[in-house]
Amino acid sequence: MTKFFNSLRDGVGFDLILVGAAMLFLLALAGLPLVYNVLMSFQQVDMFTLGQLIRPFAGIANYVAVVQQPEFWMVTRNTLVFVVGSMTGQFVLGFALAVFFAQKFPGAATIRGLFLVSWVMPGLVVGAIWSWILAGDFGVLNSVLRGLGVIQSNIFWKSDPSFSIWAVIIANIWLGLAFNMLLLSVGLAAIPRDLYEAAELDGANAWQRFWTITLPMMRSTIGAVLSLGLIGTLQQFDLFPALTEGGPANTSNVAGYWSWQLSFQLYDFAKGATVSVMMFVLVLFASILYVRSTRHEVRG
């Protein structure tokens, strides 16, 4: 006991207690539900056995059944389009804004702060706002596009099968734009200014400085931003019930929302768990990329 109290006094034991408490919290609220979900994906589950832990073993039958679902490939394609479209828009626009605000013109900090509003807003609120903006009859986006001469008639973004997935992508880009801009701004601020001055003295133009200094120096930051963007996009849920509810005819449905539909609308909890496990594998892959991209930045 004396050793224990001495360790508390010198700080080492207290640090271990804090880490242990955090690990217990994660184990109870994340680890155990994850294990239960994985276990459910290999079992036969119905309303009568839902409250049981031990159920008939199904092997990979649930995974085969999910792949054989008629909407599986459409949902997979939508998920791929949603992830690639959202990440591309968030990263490109976020990088452009980060470079723009790095110029330090008057009012740059204030205007950049306004962009953070989208980041702190709940997803359902963002979905409601964009539901009005994308409305086919009175939406602001249609009015702007007609005024610019881009379209001649209204586009029904949320109900047209050709545009429904893009309606959610546009809203998600706006939702995650500030997060990308903030992280990329931190990466830009860490680049020594004298590198740019030396390159400018050597005759390098702005585009050459961007390709030879900015991008190489921000490699780890870009890796972290893309990895976190992949995780956040795969976990996006709120925008779908607020905008399209996965319709029409699953043309805007993605894996995360489909998993919820299988579990809580169709009460097929085994298939819902199976889809979520498939998504977990992708999130785990993104997490490994994130750790690898930031590994060399850790200081011992």
Side-chain angles (χ1 to χ4, degrees):
M1 284 303 277
T2 305
K3 275 185 168 184
F4 175 74
F5 287 113
N6 286 338
S7 67
L8 290 180
R9 269 199 303 273
D10 64 21
V12 176
F14 185 67
D15 293 344
L16 292 176
I17 289 176
L18 291 179
V19 173
M23 292 301 295
L24 286 175
F25 178 82
L26 289 174
L27 178 64
L29 295 183
L32 293 179
L34 175 62
V35 172
Y36 179 79
N37 199 60
V38 174
L39 184 63
M40 186 187 297
S41 70
F42 292 100
Q43 295 176 328
Q44 298 176 17
V45 186
D46 54 36
M47 295 297 294
F48 301 101
T49 61
L50 185 59
Q52 303 174 9
L53 183 62
I54 306 300
R55 310 182 186 95
F57 183 67
I60 62 171
N62 290 325
Y63 291 86
V64 174
V66 165
V67 175
Q68 290 178 344
Q69 290 281 108
E71 62 268 34
F72 174 78
W73 293 110
M74 178 178 289
V75 170
T76 301
R77 181 187 65 83
N78 291 340
T79 303
L80 180 62
V81 171
F82 178 68
V83 169
V84 174
S86 296
M87 289 181 59
T88 302
Q90 290 174 356
F91 178 76
V92 172
L93 295 177
F95 210 151
L97 287 173
V99 173
F100 176 71
F101 288 118
Q103 308 307 312
K104 301 186 184 301
F105 55 87
T110 303
I111 300 174
R112 181 169 53 189
L114 294 176
F115 275 91
L116 298 179
V117 173
S118 64
W119 186 28
V120 300
M121 292 177 67
L124 283 174
V125 176
V126 173
I129 293 173
W130 277 96
S131 181
W132 297 329
I133 295 174
L134 297 170
D137 295 327
F138 56 85
V140 175
L141 183 58
N142 278 337
S143 298
V144 172
L145 293 178
R146 281 201 317 272
L148 295 174
V150 177
I151 60 175
Q152 302 300 321
S153 59
N154 288 341
I155 296 176
F156 289 84
W157 296 92
K158 298 180 294 179
S159 58
D160 190 328
S162 301
F163 294 98
S164 56
I165 188 64
W166 294 102
V168 190
I169 289 174
I170 292 170
N172 193 50
I173 289 174
W174 187 82
L175 180 61
L177 179 61
F179 180 71
N180 280 254
M181 179 192 69
L182 186 64
L183 291 184
L184 292 168
S185 294
V186 173
L188 284 173
I191 301 176
R193 296 296 100 184
D194 54 356
L195 292 178
Y196 291 104
E197 295 172 1
E200 192 172 1
L201 289 175
D202 289 339
N205 57 35
W207 187 250
Q208 291 171 329
R209 294 196 297 271
F210 177 79
W211 277 103
T212 58
I213 298 176
T214 304
L215 285 182
M217 294 292 291
M218 290 188 63
R219 183 174 58 184
S220 60
T221 302
I222 291 173
V225 169
L226 292 178
S227 301
L228 291 175
L230 177 59
I231 295 171
T233 303
L234 286 173
Q235 292 179 329
Q236 178 54 248
F237 176 84
D238 297 341
L239 294 177
F240 291 92
L243 285 171
T244 64
E245 296 184 351
N250 289 312
T251 53
S252 65
N253 208 355
V254 295
Y257 191 68
W258 189 39
S259 174
W260 177 84
Q261 287 179 320
L262 289 171
S263 296
F264 299 106
Q265 287 187 336
L266 302 178
Y267 301 107
D268 195 339
F269 295 97
K271 289 181 182 176
T274 301
V275 175
S276 65
V277 170
M278 292 177 174
M279 289 186 60
F280 170 73
V281 173
L282 295 178
V283 172
L284 182 63
F285 173 72
S287 301
I288 293 173
L289 290 180
Y290 171 70
V291 172
R292 288 179 62 87
S293 65
T294 58
R295 179 174 54 184
H296 70 281
E297 297 181 359
V298 178
R299 300 292 183 262

